Amino acid sequence: MANRIYLCLAHMGGQEQRFIQEAFDTNWVVPLGPNVNGFEEDIQKFVCSLANKEEKALSAEVVALSSGTAAVHLALVACGVGYGDEVIVQSFTFCASSHPVTYVGAKPVFVDSEKDSWNIDPQLLEEAIKDRISKTGKKPKAIIPVALYGMPYQIDKIMAIAEAYDIPVIEDAAEGFGSRFSGRVLGTFGKYGILSFNGNKMITTSGGGAMICTNPEDKQKIMWYATQAREAYPYYQHEAIGYNYRLSNICAGIGRGQMLVLDEHIAHHKHLYNLYRELFATVEGIEVHGNPSEEYDSNFWLNTITIHPDIKIKGQENAYKTVVKGAVGGAAGVVRATENAHTDCEPNSNIEALRMFLDESGIEARPLWKPMHCQPVYSEAPYYLKPCQLFGKNESSVSEGLFKVGMCLPSGPCVTDEDAKYIVGKIKEAIL
Ligand SMILES: *Cc1c(COP(=O)(O)O)cnc(C)c1O
């Protein structure tokens, strides 16, 4: 095992360079062009495909953008979210779901997850909406559920609540490209759907993202905002603030090549899920997070496990003894140095010990996303939590409880069956 095993490394299908070469040959080295259009068409075709071919065809429109974060930002702009507004965001997520809320001067309101899907709890969502209305006299301006690690949220219930209160839903399916709920691709249910093609996602354009829209008018609006909101004059006339968020034609070339292997990638992530499931079947106290019921069809972007707090790991006494020098996980490791190895909300010491053990064995593993309601930068944000029991312990929220006991394992297209066996073997070796 000379090579390090990463969580989700980019994997090229082989055709990417052909599309890039075409862009060079035809001098389309700009943030528009044939690759951008072709990439959008490929995504559109994919997201409209239904698992049940009998059903009425979906219609959806796609705009390719420079990142998933840009897509979240533009969705908020297009929903008219502005200064002083509130937006409901799933607390258990990566920061790119909620940070753009602050870009438009609005305030995130965090809602906890349910135990089964790990995603936004529909009942708590409705309680939060009611409470915000009674406290502020205003409805939240949007709802952002997140397909954590690819797992679908209960979109049927979320849409029913959103429709009852007439609040737009922005689906953050950045991690859930190709995941389905009741046979339908995530991102096609809400007013807007977010996809990410960052280097570590299901497919990559090196960096990039996309917005799924439900109709051509919304697509036009997003396109307009993404290209500096220009008015139809022979000179640059501006009546609204726009953004430079369109995807480059070079990156879109990578995307077109990646779309040719998307199905393969998804199948591989699911295959690894089944393999992990099998390999961990006899390991007591470790559970692999799976689809809660038949409606769910996760892409298993990252496979995740939970570990019983009583399990003891080699070197556990040294967990959190030293401050981390580089970034944990992720490809672009820029972190600000810290003096303190602890925060007031962190994974259990057996999780950190296991992460260190795997790291020394050449395996990248990572804690789950730290819930946003626990992040210092959001200390002022309102939140709605669901106290629960996990592994027999009382937890103040589902997301915090899971954060303490959870871990992400290598799941990408470069992870082989041998790698998975090696990883599980190492985990067994680490248990005392
Ligand atoms: C990756 C990610 C994003 C943002 O995508 P980028 O392309 O990296 O900007 C948004 N939300 C979630 C949940 C993500 O994991």
Side-chain angles (χ1 to χ4, degrees), residues 30-57:
V30 276
L32 78 164
N35 279 339
V36 179
N37 299 338
F39 186 39
E40 286 174 345
E41 274 167 37
D42 292 345
I43 298 169
Q44 182 188 26
K45 215 164 126 206
F46 177 85
V47 299
C48 289
S49 72
L50 292 159
N52 178 359
K53 303 274 186 286
E54 312 284 284
E55 281 179 59
K56 194 168 132 268

Side-chain angles (χ1 to χ4, degrees), residues 66-72 92-98 100 145-149 172-176 194-201 206-210 301 369:
S66 55
S67 72
T69 310
V72 177
F92 205 10
T93 187
F94 177 58
C95 64
S97 309
S98 56
V146 184
L148 210 65
Y149 306 116
D172 185 346
E175 300 174 6
I194 311 298
L195 299 176
S196 166
F197 313 119
N198 204 348
N200 56 355
K201 294 286 161 74
S206 66
W301 169 60
W369 302 128

